[in-house]
Amino acid sequence: MRPSALVALLVVSSASAWTSPSAGIASRSAVRGLRSAVPAALATRGPLDGDASVGAFDPLGLSSSEAGKRSSPFVGASASAIAVAAAFGSPSVASAATKAPDAIPSALAAYGHYLSILVIVASIMTERLTVKPAMSKEEEQRIAIADIMTGVSGTALLVSGYYRATAYGKGWDFYSHEPIFWLKMTSLGIFGALSLFPTITIIQRSVKIQQEGSIEPMSEELAKRMTSILNAELSALALIPLTATLMSRGVGYVDGFPTQIAGPALFGVVTAGAVYKYVKDALAWDEGAYITASKE
């Protein structure tokens, strides 16, 4: 193939990879192949057609003053083509210019996911730092607002996480076969179950305040119980980002084992057991039993 044809084809392929996302992998592969072919063709090219006086292909006239005087049309064209190819033929640049159709929804889902986690942590820390025996009415209201924010952010976390796992991430088939994904989901289930105890307790106390205008001070035992559960919630939250970074990189991925069955089973059993325990503890709170259990 003539060097002129190779260079022209290189420019066309490079421009296609730069301007047309639909060209995709095929155009970029062609560019890589032509980059290797052009130097070889230039090295092996014989004399120019119709001119036996030139011993090697030298379009820029570097080896012969006479060749430089010839002003062949190919000289200017080849130099321009090579410059254009160097400027616009980079596969990395072409790849960066390619925009996925769902890039904005995917980015918004990721932003909502991360923002939800931050709000949850801030809300739980507010509860943790506020809860104490004999809280004032204002402090009772503060932890009630913080608990509402935890619930709203938790819902946003689940919704954004669902879309990230099924629509904008690596796909449900990947995540369902990833054991660490189910470890993350189990941690999230435990966190949700733990949050039920303070939520139920806060709702009960807030309703009583609304109905009666006052409430008996929170006991030291109940404050300790809520504090320990809030600490456990923060610990579960700390594990979730770690599992997320590992699962997104395919750590522990298995295809031959029925993880898509064992994972949901583990998640369901652990979450259901934790929900039952903490809902029961909140609804049937017995300070005497708690004191006895603490001493044991």
Side-chain angles (χ1 to χ4, degrees):
M1 181 181 288
R2 289 175 174 273
S4 59
L6 279 173
V7 173
L9 185 56
L10 173 60
V11 174
V12 172
S13 300
S14 300
S16 176
W18 167 259
T19 60
S20 176
S22 61
I25 299 174
S27 296
R28 291 192 287 272
S29 299
V31 171
R32 296 190 189 98
L34 288 171
R35 282 178 178 158
S36 302
V38 169
L42 295 178
T44 58
R45 177 70 167 97
L48 292 173
D49 294 342
D51 189 356
S53 64
V54 181
F57 176 67
D58 187 12
L60 300 181
L62 298 178
S63 61
S64 172
S65 59
E66 184 179 352
K69 298 175 183 178
R70 186 179 10 227
S71 299
S72 170
F74 178 71
V75 173
S78 61
S80 300
I82 293 173
V84 171
F88 298 105
S90 173
S92 60
V93 175
S95 177
T98 303
K99 184 189 294 183
D102 59 351
I104 293 179
S106 176
L108 291 176
Y111 173 75
H113 203 63
Y114 303 144
L115 181 62
S116 299
I117 295 176
L118 292 176
V119 175
I120 289 173
V121 172
S123 300
I124 295 177
M125 284 299 300
T126 300
E127 293 184 57
R128 172 64 181 83
L129 296 174
T130 304
V131 170
K132 62 182 180 181
M135 287 185 293
S136 65
K137 187 176 179 180
E138 290 73 19
E139 289 172 329
E140 295 271 4
Q141 292 175 343
R142 185 189 308 159
I143 64 171
I145 294 173
D147 195 70
I148 291 173
M149 292 300 299
T150 302
V152 172
S153 301
T155 303
L157 181 71
L158 290 176
V159 173
S160 60
Y162 170 80
Y163 281 106
R164 295 196 72 201
T166 58
Y168 304 127
K170 293 181 172 63
W172 181 249
D173 186 63
F174 171 82
Y175 292 117
S176 63
H177 287 82
E178 173 57 75
I180 298 181
F181 170 77
W182 293 111
L183 177 60
K184 174 190 174 183
M185 293 302 298
T186 302
S187 300
L188 187 61
I190 293 173
F191 164 77
L194 285 165
S195 69
L196 292 175
F197 184 94
T199 296
I200 293 173
T201 302
I202 291 170
I203 290 175
Q204 289 174 333
R205 295 180 66 83
S206 297
V207 169
K208 195 167 184 179
I209 290 175
Q210 291 293 329
Q211 292 177 347
E212 302 178 8
S214 62
I215 192 174
E216 62 184 42
M218 180 176 287
S219 65
E220 185 176 351
E221 289 74 19
L222 182 56
K224 286 182 179 179
R225 180 60 170 161
M226 289 189 64
T227 299
S228 64
I229 288 179
L230 291 169
N231 289 337
E233 288 184 56
L234 291 171
S235 299
L237 280 176
L239 181 62
I240 291 174
L242 174 62
T243 56
T245 55
L246 292 174
M247 76 172 190
S248 64
R249 288 158 177 79
V251 177
Y253 180 88
V254 289
D255 199 10
F257 185 78
T259 312
Q260 72 277 17
I261 299 175
L266 174 66
F267 165 72
V269 170
V270 173
T271 302
V275 167
Y276 174 78
K277 171 181 172 52
Y278 291 107
V279 169
K280 180 182 177 182
D281 288 352
L283 294 176
W285 170 250
D286 186 346
E287 293 190 5
Y290 175 73
I291 295 173
T292 302
S294 301
K295 290 181 178 179
E296 294 178 353

